[in-house]
Amino acid sequence: MAEFIRIDNLDRPELAIYSNQNEAQLRHYYEPEEGIFIAESPNVIARALDAGYEPISFLAEPSQAEGPAAEDIARCGDIPVYIGSNELLSKITGFKLARGALCAMRRRPLPDIEVLLQGAHRIVILEDIVNPTNVGALFRSAAALSMDAILLTPDCADPLYRRADRVSMGTVFQIPWTYFDSPWHVERRETEDDVEKRKAEESRLWIWPDQAMNFLHAHGFKTVAMALRNNSVDIDDKILRAEDRLAVVMGTEGEGLTPRTIEMCDYCVTIPMKNGVDSLNVAAAGAIAFWELGPRGRIRNDV
């Protein structure tokens, strides 16, 4: 049974994970083991628990602990539950919480890319999207529109950042995802003494975009760059719906996809627009792309 602890300040050392450490510090909290993330709001917490994430502690205002978050707390076993006012919690989040409940949880190892792609036909690739709000919104759309998985380049915002998982409404816990490898990861592995082990590990690295694209193509995926180019095809082109395995590649805010990524993609796709508008926010463009190119698009192939 959970232990309820009333607090009137954030000075307790065990509350530092909520108030004194940024997202990057939490991510590496237990290094070399997996770190911590903060789930915010009862719905997000419930979906994290449903996905099997382990809770560490709870921080909630009284009305939440006794109301909407009570069921989540009951599922968490004998962890500490800190009870504070909404004003106190707002010092952590920077704004008044409409759903004043936070839960610190342990991260889990990310899935292997090959395992993640087994049986997948429609996936999303996010290249260097640094805004957690956009990452969260893209996860929500991808989950809602039945995309099978999401792969992220190393410089993307972490889907488990508090703002990202909140904006996603907890769908970051429902759709499989992982990161591609990064060059610094290779450099770190090259310093290992066990040469044979290092070579075996490096043979399974997929660095974006070259090795990663080659890996996707070798596994039967056609890649679709969402970008404005003269050779772009419309997003509702039947040739795209006919592809058995398709990866939709979305680029960073403002600059879009890198030239090398576009060059390596099989298709370049644009969303037709009017009134002199040449682009959409990446989250809005993603929702349209997932609707047209996802499973629904395949069903409409004969239309």
Side-chain angles (χ1 to χ4, degrees):
M1 183 175 180
E3 178 188 7
F4 288 79
I5 304 168
R6 294 274 177 173
I7 60 172
D8 55 16
N9 62 67
L10 300 171
D11 294 337
R12 301 173 70 108
E14 57 268 40
L15 296 178
I17 56 176
Y18 294 101
S19 59
N20 294 336
Q21 292 177 323
N22 60 36
E23 304 278 11
Q25 290 171 322
L26 292 176
R27 190 173 182 176
H28 300 286
Y29 192 83
Y30 289 123
E31 201 169 67
E33 298 178 19
E34 304 302 319
I36 293 174
F37 69 94
I38 306 296
E40 183 178 313
S41 88
N43 286 340
V44 173
I45 295 168
R47 285 177 171 168
L49 293 172
D50 290 343
Y53 284 89
E54 178 188 350
I56 298 172
S57 64
F58 225 101
L59 177 60
E61 62 175 81
S63 63
Q64 287 292 318
E66 298 167 2
E71 185 175 342
D72 293 339
I73 292 172
R75 297 174 61 186
C76 290
D78 58 355
I79 67 170
V81 178
Y82 301 98
I83 307 298
S85 67
N86 196 294
E87 288 71 24
L88 185 64
L89 270 62
S90 69
K91 294 180 180 179
I92 298 173
T93 60
F95 57 90
K96 187 172 182 179
L97 286 171
R99 298 176 178 85
L102 304 170
C103 185
M105 294 185 162
R106 291 182 182 269
R107 289 174 178 265
R108 299 189 312 200
L110 292 174
D112 182 85
I113 291 180
E114 287 187 300
V115 174
L116 184 145
L117 294 182
Q118 288 178 1
H121 291 272
R122 291 294 186 269
I123 67 171
V124 181
I125 297 174
L126 306 184
E127 181 184 77
D128 300 349
I129 297 179
V130 298
N131 186 321
T133 298
N134 285 334
V135 169
L138 285 162
F139 266 78
R140 186 174 181 180
S141 295
L145 299 172
S146 301
M147 304 300 281
D148 296 316
I150 296 179
L151 301 176
L152 303 96
T153 63
D155 289 333
C156 274
D158 183 358
L160 295 185
Y161 280 0
R162 187 183 306 171
R163 187 168 183 81
D165 66 39
R166 184 179 71 245
V167 171
S168 82
M169 294 296 291
T171 54
V172 297
F173 309 115
Q174 296 178 311
I175 184 169
W177 61 273
T178 194
Y179 279 95
F180 288 113
D181 291 298
S182 60
W184 66 261
H185 195 186
V186 177
E187 292 172 4
R188 185 174 68 178
R189 293 188 181 194
E190 287 180 346
T191 64
E192 294 178 357
D193 295 331
D194 187 342
V195 176
E196 293 302 319
K197 179 181 178 181
R198 173 175 57 79
K199 289 181 178 179
E201 288 182 340
E202 288 179 4
S203 70
R204 293 171 55 79
L205 290 176
W206 300 292
I207 301 173
W208 184 262
D210 293 66
Q211 291 95 322
M213 283 284 196
N214 291 334
F215 166 78
L216 291 169
H217 290 147
H219 284 70
F221 279 91
K222 295 291 186 177
T223 49
V224 175
M226 299 298 297
L228 295 172
R229 290 294 186 274
N230 293 332
N231 61 343
S232 297
V233 299
D234 283 350
I235 197 168
D236 59 353
D237 195 305
K238 290 185 177 181
I239 192 172
L240 300 173
R241 300 180 197 156
E243 295 289 359
D244 179 49
R245 308 189 90 183
L246 203 64
V248 182
V249 189
M250 312 292 301
T252 186
E253 304 88 342
E255 297 178 2
L257 295 170
T258 63
R260 179 59 177 164
T261 296
I262 296 172
E263 176 188 348
M264 294 195 71
C265 282
D266 298 290
Y267 300 103
C268 192
V269 171
T270 187
I271 300 172
M273 286 177 264
K274 296 182 178 180
N275 297 319
V277 178
D278 62 359
S279 65
L280 298 173
N281 168 272
V282 66
I288 295 171
F290 307 156
W291 173 258
E292 283 290 347
L293 302 176
R296 169 188 173 276
R298 297 184 67 202
I299 293 172
R300 294 176 58 238
N301 187 45
D302 58 351
V303 176

